[in-house]
Amino acid sequence: QVHLVESGGGLVQAGGSLRLSCAASGSMFSVYVMGWYRQAAGKQRELVAAITSGGSTNYGDSVKGRINISRDNARNTVTLRMNSLNPEVTAVYYCNILGHWLGTPLNAWGQGTQITVSS
């Protein structure tokens, strides 16, 4: 099995910054894409940012310019840094990885971490 452990998140004031990290662990797996999604109350889950093993990035339209995603391929970790936070980004943030495990496609999700931005 492949496990994702998320860290970071919490309550922050508007204008502040936050960092989320996610580490994938297990055996016999490879990860191609690591990313973060978020789901606000009453809304669909949406892409925040994703990064490939080669370093190519994709950012959601609603967060461009205010976030940065990076990864450590050797440690299978991905980090999301967010700046100038506003209450609109309040949501549960989920780590996601795409790859292969034991030769089969892998699409795994973390348990989610809450980010709340107070005005």
Side-chain angles (χ1 to χ4, degrees), residues 54-67:
S56 297
T57 57
N58 184 26
Y59 292 97
D61 290 337
S62 62
V63 296
K64 284 181 179 178
R66 291 184 290 150
I67 63 170

PDB file of all heavy atoms in Angstrom, residues 54-67:
ATOM      1  N   GLY A  54       9.263  15.576 -13.455  1.00  0.00           N
ATOM      2  CA  GLY A  54      10.223  16.381 -14.207  1.00  0.00           C
ATOM      3  C   GLY A  54      10.218  17.845 -13.834  1.00  0.00           C
ATOM      4  O   GLY A  54      11.030  18.619 -14.353  1.00  0.00           O
ATOM      5  N   GLY A  55       9.287  18.229 -12.966  1.00  0.00           N
ATOM      6  CA  GLY A  55       9.245  19.605 -12.495  1.00  0.00           C
ATOM      7  C   GLY A  55       8.240  20.503 -13.193  1.00  0.00           C
ATOM      8  O   GLY A  55       8.130  21.697 -12.866  1.00  0.00           O
ATOM      9  N   SER A  56       7.492  19.979 -14.149  1.00  0.00           N
ATOM     10  CA  SER A  56       6.456  20.787 -14.794  1.00  0.00           C
ATOM     11  C   SER A  56       5.311  21.021 -13.820  1.00  0.00           C
ATOM     12  O   SER A  56       4.912  20.103 -13.089  1.00  0.00           O
ATOM     13  CB  SER A  56       5.940  20.079 -16.044  1.00  0.00           C
ATOM     14  OG  SER A  56       6.970  19.937 -16.994  1.00  0.00           O
ATOM     15  N   THR A  57       4.792  22.242 -13.822  1.00  0.00           N
ATOM     16  CA  THR A  57       3.756  22.598 -12.864  1.00  0.00           C
ATOM     17  C   THR A  57       2.470  23.031 -13.560  1.00  0.00           C
ATOM     18  O   THR A  57       2.490  23.485 -14.708  1.00  0.00           O
ATOM     19  CB  THR A  57       4.222  23.739 -11.948  1.00  0.00           C
ATOM     20  OG1 THR A  57       4.593  24.862 -12.755  1.00  0.00           O
ATOM     21  CG2 THR A  57       5.402  23.314 -11.099  1.00  0.00           C
ATOM     22  N   ASN A  58       1.387  22.869 -12.846  1.00  0.00           N
ATOM     23  CA  ASN A  58       0.080  23.301 -13.313  1.00  0.00           C
ATOM     24  C   ASN A  58      -0.643  23.912 -12.118  1.00  0.00           C
ATOM     25  O   ASN A  58      -0.768  23.266 -11.079  1.00  0.00           O
ATOM     26  CB  ASN A  58      -0.712  22.119 -13.875  1.00  0.00           C
ATOM     27  CG  ASN A  58      -2.045  22.536 -14.451  1.00  0.00           C
ATOM     28  OD1 ASN A  58      -2.218  23.672 -14.876  1.00  0.00           O
ATOM     29  ND2 ASN A  58      -2.997  21.627 -14.465  1.00  0.00           N
ATOM     30  N   TYR A  59      -1.105  25.134 -12.279  1.00  0.00           N
ATOM     31  CA  TYR A  59      -1.770  25.827 -11.184  1.00  0.00           C
ATOM     32  C   TYR A  59      -3.221  26.108 -11.541  1.00  0.00           C
ATOM     33  O   TYR A  59      -3.538  26.451 -12.677  1.00  0.00           O
ATOM     34  CB  TYR A  59      -1.081  27.159 -10.873  1.00  0.00           C
ATOM     35  CG  TYR A  59       0.298  27.016 -10.286  1.00  0.00           C
ATOM     36  CD1 TYR A  59       1.427  27.097 -11.088  1.00  0.00           C
ATOM     37  CD2 TYR A  59       0.468  26.797  -8.921  1.00  0.00           C
ATOM     38  CE1 TYR A  59       2.689  26.952 -10.550  1.00  0.00           C
ATOM     39  CE2 TYR A  59       1.721  26.659  -8.373  1.00  0.00           C
ATOM     40  CZ  TYR A  59       2.832  26.735  -9.187  1.00  0.00           C
ATOM     41  OH  TYR A  59       4.086  26.595  -8.639  1.00  0.00           O
ATOM     42  N   GLY A  60      -4.085  25.984 -10.555  1.00  0.00           N
ATOM     43  CA  GLY A  60      -5.479  26.328 -10.760  1.00  0.00           C
ATOM     44  C   GLY A  60      -5.622  27.816 -11.016  1.00  0.00           C
ATOM     45  O   GLY A  60      -4.861  28.624 -10.481  1.00  0.00           O
ATOM     46  N   ASP A  61      -6.595  28.177 -11.831  1.00  0.00           N
ATOM     47  CA  ASP A  61      -6.761  29.572 -12.216  1.00  0.00           C
ATOM     48  C   ASP A  61      -7.030  30.481 -11.021  1.00  0.00           C
ATOM     49  O   ASP A  61      -6.635  31.645 -11.020  1.00  0.00           O
ATOM     50  CB  ASP A  61      -7.898  29.704 -13.224  1.00  0.00           C
ATOM     51  CG  ASP A  61      -7.542  29.113 -14.577  1.00  0.00           C
ATOM     52  OD1 ASP A  61      -6.338  29.010 -14.870  1.00  0.00           O
ATOM     53  OD2 ASP A  61      -8.466  28.749 -15.328  1.00  0.00           O
ATOM     54  N   SER A  62      -7.685  29.959 -10.015  1.00  0.00           N
ATOM     55  CA  SER A  62      -8.086  30.799  -8.882  1.00  0.00           C
ATOM     56  C   SER A  62      -6.931  31.114  -7.939  1.00  0.00           C
ATOM     57  O   SER A  62      -7.079  31.970  -7.070  1.00  0.00           O
ATOM     58  CB  SER A  62      -9.212  30.119  -8.098  1.00  0.00           C
ATOM     59  OG  SER A  62      -8.754  28.888  -7.559  1.00  0.00           O
ATOM     60  N   VAL A  63      -5.792  30.451  -8.112  1.00  0.00           N
ATOM     61  CA  VAL A  63      -4.708  30.656  -7.148  1.00  0.00           C
ATOM     62  C   VAL A  63      -3.410  31.110  -7.791  1.00  0.00           C
ATOM     63  O   VAL A  63      -2.420  31.309  -7.100  1.00  0.00           O
ATOM     64  CB  VAL A  63      -4.441  29.361  -6.345  1.00  0.00           C
ATOM     65  CG1 VAL A  63      -5.643  28.997  -5.511  1.00  0.00           C
ATOM     66  CG2 VAL A  63      -4.035  28.229  -7.282  1.00  0.00           C
ATOM     67  N   LYS A  64      -3.412  31.247  -9.096  1.00  0.00           N
ATOM     68  CA  LYS A  64      -2.178  31.619  -9.781  1.00  0.00           C
ATOM     69  C   LYS A  64      -1.619  32.918  -9.223  1.00  0.00           C
ATOM     70  O   LYS A  64      -2.349  33.865  -8.975  1.00  0.00           O
ATOM     71  CB  LYS A  64      -2.441  31.762 -11.282  1.00  0.00           C
ATOM     72  CG  LYS A  64      -2.575  30.445 -11.998  1.00  0.00           C
ATOM     73  CD  LYS A  64      -2.801  30.646 -13.498  1.00  0.00           C
ATOM     74  CE  LYS A  64      -2.901  29.299 -14.218  1.00  0.00           C
ATOM     75  NZ  LYS A  64      -3.169  29.467 -15.667  1.00  0.00           N
ATOM     76  N   GLY A  65      -0.312  32.921  -9.046  1.00  0.00           N
ATOM     77  CA  GLY A  65       0.370  34.103  -8.563  1.00  0.00           C
ATOM     78  C   GLY A  65       0.515  34.173  -7.060  1.00  0.00           C
ATOM     79  O   GLY A  65       1.272  34.993  -6.549  1.00  0.00           O
ATOM     80  N   ARG A  66      -0.224  33.331  -6.367  1.00  0.00           N
ATOM     81  CA  ARG A  66      -0.176  33.403  -4.907  1.00  0.00           C
ATOM     82  C   ARG A  66       0.333  32.124  -4.269  1.00  0.00           C
ATOM     83  O   ARG A  66       0.405  32.043  -3.038  1.00  0.00           O
ATOM     84  CB  ARG A  66      -1.566  33.729  -4.359  1.00  0.00           C
ATOM     85  CG  ARG A  66      -2.028  35.139  -4.681  1.00  0.00           C
ATOM     86  CD  ARG A  66      -3.356  35.430  -4.043  1.00  0.00           C
ATOM     87  NE  ARG A  66      -4.424  34.674  -4.688  1.00  0.00           N
ATOM     88  CZ  ARG A  66      -5.518  34.254  -4.067  1.00  0.00           C
ATOM     89  NH1 ARG A  66      -5.673  34.478  -2.782  1.00  0.00           N
ATOM     90  NH2 ARG A  66      -6.451  33.603  -4.726  1.00  0.00           N
ATOM     91  N   ILE A  67       0.647  31.138  -5.079  1.00  0.00           N
ATOM     92  CA  ILE A  67       1.103  29.888  -4.502  1.00  0.00           C
ATOM     93  C   ILE A  67       2.312  29.380  -5.277  1.00  0.00           C
ATOM     94  O   ILE A  67       2.578  29.796  -6.400  1.00  0.00           O
ATOM     95  CB  ILE A  67       0.002  28.805  -4.524  1.00  0.00           C
ATOM     96  CG1 ILE A  67      -0.379  28.478  -5.963  1.00  0.00           C
ATOM     97  CG2 ILE A  67      -1.205  29.236  -3.713  1.00  0.00           C
ATOM     98  CD1 ILE A  67      -1.277  27.276  -6.078  1.00  0.00           C
TER      99      ILE A  67
END
